[in-house]
Amino acid sequence: MEHISVLREEVLRALDPKPNEDFIDCTVNGGGHAKAILEKTAPSGRLLGIDWNQRVIENCKLKIDNFTERTVLICDNFAHLEKIAKKEGFGSVDGILFDLGISSWHLERSGKGFSFLRDEPLDMRYGAEYQISNLKTQNFLTAEKIINKWSEKEIEKNLREYGQEKFSKTIARKIVQAREIKPIATTFQLVDIIKQAIPTRYQHQRIHFATRTFQAIRIAVNDELNNLKTALPQAVNILKTQGRLVVISFHSLEDGIVKNFLRDSVKNGFLKPLNAKPMLASKAELMANKRARSAKLRAAIKI
Ligand SMILES: C[S@@+](CC[C@H](N)C(=O)[O-])C[C@H]1O[C@@H](n2cnc3c(N)ncnc32)[C@H](O)[C@@H]1O
């Protein structure tokens, strides 16, 4: 299934792109938001699109081929935002977008074990074979390593803190017991173990019983919360005065980081909030795109 960009209209309203302005999309993926921005910034506004996945970048190149001469696509971790932006001539821009997390492509086509509905090797790295601009920071941690090498205590803490999983203790114990018999190599092996750890009445809730565990492992593998914490102040540094920062988050851990960062930056006089409350998806969007149900958009202007 094609990835549907969430909160597309809200992103445009918040970023307010005008002709000839320059933007950075830190999570460009299929280029849905990027294209919408480029349409508004004609004839000569430029866009720097970053994504941690090389295959995603290659797909994006094909999708935004109408805008090639105004677009620069870079495969890297947005934790290196300021360095990338300066190197590519985007050291002072009108707006920056983060649309965090995974896309439908990662779940359905990456083959990296992001989805508990597909039997794939436990990898979950957004980027691994790539990291072109900074080879030293290659990500060697995989979901398979966490599941097979981390101690029961470390796994339990990960599931509790990053997954807010109330059965973290039992799941961690079952994982350690199972790997003593044979290594846990695939997503379906892991799903079976989680199922054994969760009381039957919790196995048929609205949210699949493996969701929280998969989220927790994915966050740890990609160091997602630290990447975000590192990138946000860099974004403010490279925004022009009156430039706009827009962040879409999908769970409370991410949203908490964004909310605190904006609150502190407002208190310290760097930013002005664009909305008192986060923007959420409309009813119509929720009907068309399930992923939008947990999306929260926060935005601010540099002063
Ligand atoms: C939800 S998708 C973005 C969808 C995009 N806005 C669109 O309209 O198609 C998030 C993307 O962010 C990328 N990503 C996640 N963490 C990243 C990081 N630290 N640095 C760069 N890209 C990252 C993922 O590879 C994924 O492609």
Side-chain angles (χ1 to χ4, degrees), residues 6-44:
V6 299
L7 297 168
R8 193 174 173 278
E9 292 314 310
E10 291 78 358
V11 164
L12 287 179
R13 229 181 299 139
L15 281 178
D16 192 24
K18 297 195 189 67
N20 309 327
E21 288 186 341
D22 292 341
F23 286 83
I24 302 179
D25 183 342
C26 297
T27 51
V28 73
N29 190 261
H33 288 122
K35 235 174 156 167
I37 295 167
L38 283 159
E39 276 160 10
K40 301 274 181 193
T41 57
S44 54

Side-chain angles (χ1 to χ4, degrees), residues 141-158:
L141 182 64
T142 61
E144 202 257 343
K145 270 196 193 145
I146 291 181
I147 294 295
N148 289 286
K149 300 274 185 263
W150 281 19
S151 69
E152 182 175 331
K153 249 203 170 121
E154 286 170 321
I155 295 176
E156 192 276 318
K157 185 170 182 272
N158 171 244

Side-chain angles (χ1 to χ4, degrees), residues 127-187:
E129 59 274 11
Y130 31 83
Q131 297 239 343
I132 285 162
S133 76
N134 194 346
L135 287 169
K136 272 190 229 129
T137 60
Q138 267 197 9
N139 186 4
F140 293 112
L141 182 64
T142 61
E144 202 257 343
K145 270 196 193 145
I146 291 181
I147 294 295
N148 289 286
K149 300 274 185 263
W150 281 19
S151 69
E152 182 175 331
K153 249 203 170 121
E154 286 170 321
I155 295 176
E156 192 276 318
K157 185 170 182 272
N158 171 244
L159 301 188
R160 181 168 32 85
E161 290 184 359
Y162 290 174
Q164 296 159 325
E165 170 57 69
K166 72 170 153 197
F167 301 109
S168 55
K169 259 201 163 89
T170 347
I171 298 173
R173 191 170 323 124
K174 290 273 183 207
I175 287 173
V176 171
Q177 283 167 359
R179 76 190 189 193
E180 274 164 15
I181 300 165
K182 74 169 181 186
I184 304 161
T186 68
T187 44

Side-chain angles (χ1 to χ4, degrees), residues 232-269:
L232 290 173
Q234 298 180 41
V236 176
N237 288 347
I238 54 178
L239 274 178
K240 289 180 187 162
T241 306
Q242 294 301 312
R244 287 151 179 249
L245 173 63
V246 174
V247 188
I248 304 174
S249 64
F250 290 87
H251 53 77
S252 58
L253 298 168
E254 280 172 354
D255 186 54
I257 291 170
V258 180
K259 190 173 152 187
N260 291 340
F261 176 77
L262 294 185
R263 191 201 50 215
D264 292 348
S265 305
V266 168
K267 210 161 74 193
N268 295 328

